[in-house]
Amino acid sequence: MADQVYDLIVIGAGPGGYVAAIRAAQLGFSVAVVEKRATLGGVCLNEGCIPSKALLDSSEYFALARDDFARHGIMIDPPLLDLEQMLKRKDDVVKRLTDGVAYLFKKHRIVHIPGVAKLGGARSDGLQTVPVTMPDSPAIPRVLLGKKVLLATGSQAMELPGIPFDGQLVVSAREALAFDQVPEQLLVVGAGYVGLELGSVWRRLGSQVTVVEAMTKPLPATDGQVTDVIIKALKKQGLTFMLEATVTRIAPENGRAVVTISSAEAVRELIFDKVLVATGRQPLTAGLGLPQIGVTQDDRGRIVVDANYQTTVTGIYALGDLIPGPMLAHKAMEEGVAFAERLAGQAAEVDYAYIPGVVYTWPEAAGVGKTEEQLREASTPYSVGRSNFLGNGRARCLGETEGFVKVLAHAQTGRLLGVHIVGARASELIGEAVTAMSFGGTAADLGLTIHAHPTLSEAIKEAALDVNKQAIHG
Ligand code: FAD
């Protein structure tokens, strides 16, 4: 019997790979997906977006019950933490979603092949070979044949120079999503969104959290005024920040970590129970055989692709965290759809200018488009509209009045250039701004749109009206 030839072989079942596979199957391609971990969904579903948000939501309820309910007139005994149950619930959430991807694969007749794949190169008939090391027969790789291969192997956490992860004391987000005890003293290295989100989780559950950041400010890509609100709120919640400081040494001592932290002013030694290193992620390409077949990577290890997501080798494609752009699940998913549709000859495109970014701290921060800093640097003429949640009825009812919406519009055309929100449920609110901007909307368009009252979203309308100094409640 002749070997099965797939139209498309996808390596990696994260948000980029699984979405590309489903869309390709919808378009009539025969698809196989090779995934090395036991469950589908990649980093996002297994050890990223989903488990972190499950713990953020649970820890938020806990902190509300402990610190906030009395304000609403709800008197309860101090709530008790059942960490085991909280972690179990998080694992259940993950399982339901990863099972959901497996169901979708079945529904779309996508063949799931468990194992570690690499590129074997093209045969003389042009078919791509993909040797897969299977868990049940590791000695003899099974060689898959495909007309096209999509690399979607994602990324991995970066280690501190000379300080490897040990999975116990010095850990990545993967382990920090599953500490079986609340660490008394937690050090977070890196004040990006992963560090601030997981630092928030453990702070709410009782840890003393110190955040060390090499830059002058956390969240460097975020609008400066938004960052200021986030930092003020996190400090109020009890997180300690050490900015312009770096971790230069970690030595284990009696089950704890003795950490050397250096800054311009001093070199300090502090002791922590756990050290979460969240200084960034790098494309996961080791073992794929890229140099052997001539796939080009840039100086940061990212795979170079063209508008069709094709690499420098014909028939080999890449997307998601492997290629340039923000390392975000929704970016990877959009690329998955665009890749499959372009493979089918359609004119799909990802609008990279309008990829929202969210920080799920409390309050949340969300933004899309340009920041004020970027507009100033580019000398783009712009007008600003702002509405504070302090004046928003729903925010008052919720007791969540921290933060604001800021709308940036072109000074001459009124076209929306950026929207930045810090406040309760900013992650949900930003969708409206993304839609308006994707349709080429102006601040006036947002201002003319009827928003239900009382809702947090009214702050978007008010901020848009404020661009032309027409806000009613501002
Ligand atoms: P991945 O999700 O990394 O998937 C790649 C898959 O390929 C993995 O399952 C891996 O096992 C598999 N693989 C690798 N090599 C091989 C091989 N040789 N053979 C077979 N299989 C292989 N993004 C957001 O948008 N929102 C968030 O809230 C968010 N929160 C995050 C929180 C944390 C703690 C972390 C770490 C990340 C978070 N992210 C978030 C980022 C998001 O997870 C990634 O951007 C996204 O998962 C990238 O998708 P991907 O498909 O490119 O790769």
Side-chain angles (χ1 to χ4, degrees):
M1 201 178 79
D3 284 332
Q4 154 112 48
V5 175
Y6 295 100
D7 292 328
L8 175 66
I9 299 171
V10 180
I11 306 179
Y18 88 72
V19 169
I22 291 172
R23 189 70 191 114
Q26 284 174 342
L27 291 163
F29 294 102
S30 62
V31 184
V33 179
V34 189
E35 171 54 57
K36 68 177 181 183
R37 76 172 77 220
T39 51
L40 302 174
V43 167
C44 177
L45 267 62
N46 290 282
E47 53 180 275
C49 330
I50 295 300
S52 61
K53 268 79 243 178
L55 285 186
L56 278 157
D57 287 340
S58 293
S59 62
E60 186 187 313
Y61 285 138
F62 180 68
L64 283 174
R66 182 187 56 204
D67 307 331
D68 224 42
F69 275 11
R71 207 155 53 94
H72 291 266
I74 305 166
M75 308 312 289
I76 51 168
D77 285 337
L80 295 178
L81 174 64
D82 181 348
L83 182 60
E84 202 181 326
Q85 166 58 22
M86 196 177 277
L87 296 176
K88 189 177 156 300
R89 179 190 167 276
K90 172 211 65 174
D91 293 340
D92 285 348
V93 171
V94 168
K95 182 161 182 348
R96 278 174 196 276
L97 291 170
T98 55
D99 285 354
V101 178
Y103 161 78
L104 292 172
F105 274 18
K106 280 209 184 81
K107 182 177 158 192
H108 294 285
R109 298 181 200 286
I110 295 164
V111 179
H112 168 205
I113 295 168
V116 183
K118 63 177 188 176
L119 298 174
R123 295 195 320 192
S124 55
D125 60 3
L127 288 178
Q128 295 290 343
T129 61
V130 176
V132 180
T133 308
M134 316 275 289
D136 46 3
S137 58
I140 319 148
R142 171 178 165 192
V143 180
L144 305 179
L145 291 177
K147 292 180 188 161
K148 314 274 181 200
V149 177
L150 173 65
L151 301 169
T153 53
S155 62
Q156 62 187 355
M158 282 188 327
E159 295 180 331
L160 290 170
I163 308 176
F165 291 121
D166 62 21
Q168 285 298 322
L169 278 180
V170 184
V171 302
S172 70
R174 180 186 296 151
E175 293 81 15
L177 287 163
F179 291 148
D180 57 6
Q181 280 178 8
V182 178
E184 222 170 275
Q185 296 285 344
L186 170 66
L187 176 66
V188 176
V189 190
Y193 78 91
V194 171
L196 296 187
E197 289 178 10
L198 291 179
S200 296
V201 165
W202 293 106
R203 174 67 201 132
R204 291 168 192 170
L205 300 182
S207 295
Q208 293 300 321
V209 177
T210 304
V211 182
V212 170
E213 167 58 50
M215 316 272 278
T216 49
K217 234 177 169 187
L219 304 170
T222 305
D223 182 276
Q225 291 177 332
V226 168
T227 309
D228 289 344
V229 173
I230 294 289
I231 296 315
K232 200 171 148 212
L234 292 179
K235 281 185 178 165
K236 209 167 126 198
Q237 288 161 33
L239 278 86
T240 304
F241 285 88
M242 296 172 77
L243 300 176
E244 294 183 87
T246 50
V247 169
T248 48
R249 186 168 173 268
I250 302 179
E253 200 176 291
N254 302 325
R256 302 182 84 197
V258 182
V259 182
T260 310
I261 301 169
S262 310
S263 66
E265 295 93 57
V267 177
R268 267 171 280 197
E269 269 196 356
L270 299 173
I271 298 177
F272 296 93
D273 299 292
K274 296 280 183 193
V275 180
L276 162 61
V277 178
T279 48
R281 297 180 66 80
Q282 61 197 8
L284 181 51
T285 54
L288 284 175
L290 301 187
Q292 287 84 339
I293 71 157
V295 173
T296 304
Q297 291 169 262
D298 68 13
D299 54 354
R300 290 162 63 183
R302 302 172 302 185
I303 295 178
V304 176
V305 291
D306 65 14
N308 291 321
Y309 299 97
Q310 186 159 240
T311 67
T312 44
V313 174
T314 306
I316 308 286
Y317 299 77
L319 47 62
D321 281 7
L322 279 180
I323 68 167
M327 287 183 165
L328 292 170
H330 42 282
K331 177 247 188 197
M333 291 193 223
E334 291 304 320
E335 289 176 343
V337 171
F339 154 76
E341 293 184 352
R342 290 179 86 102
L343 204 60
Q346 298 179 8
E349 211 162 295
V350 176
D351 204 336
Y352 286 95
Y354 304 134
I355 298 176
V358 176
V359 188
Y360 295 80
T361 44
W362 198 257
E364 293 179 340
V368 59
K370 303 283 184 211
T371 62
E372 265 199 91
E373 291 82 355
Q374 288 168 333
L375 292 176
R376 257 185 252 128
E377 203 177 310
S379 305
T380 308
Y382 68 95
S383 310
V384 190
R386 184 173 155 139
S387 174
N388 295 329
F389 283 113
L390 208 58
N392 175 281
R394 190 67 197 279
R396 282 268 172 209
C397 297
L398 285 165
E400 298 294 351
T401 51
E402 236 168 341
F404 59 83
V405 176
K406 178 157 86 173
V407 171
L408 304 171
H410 195 280
Q412 275 103 46
T413 64
R415 191 162 172 172
L416 293 164
L417 300 172
V419 176
H420 304 278
I421 307 174
V422 56
R425 305 294 169 220
S427 58
E428 302 292 343
L429 294 172
I430 198 68
E432 178 184 351
V434 180
T435 307
M437 290 179 73
S438 301
F439 282 91
T442 62
D445 292 329
L446 276 182
L448 284 168
T449 309
I450 301 171
H451 290 68
H453 176 76
T455 58
L456 296 170
S457 71
E458 287 173 289
I460 297 179
K461 179 185 171 90
E462 285 283 316
L465 287 170
D466 188 51
V467 169
N468 296 315
K469 303 304 152 219
Q470 293 170 353
I472 301 296
H473 301 92

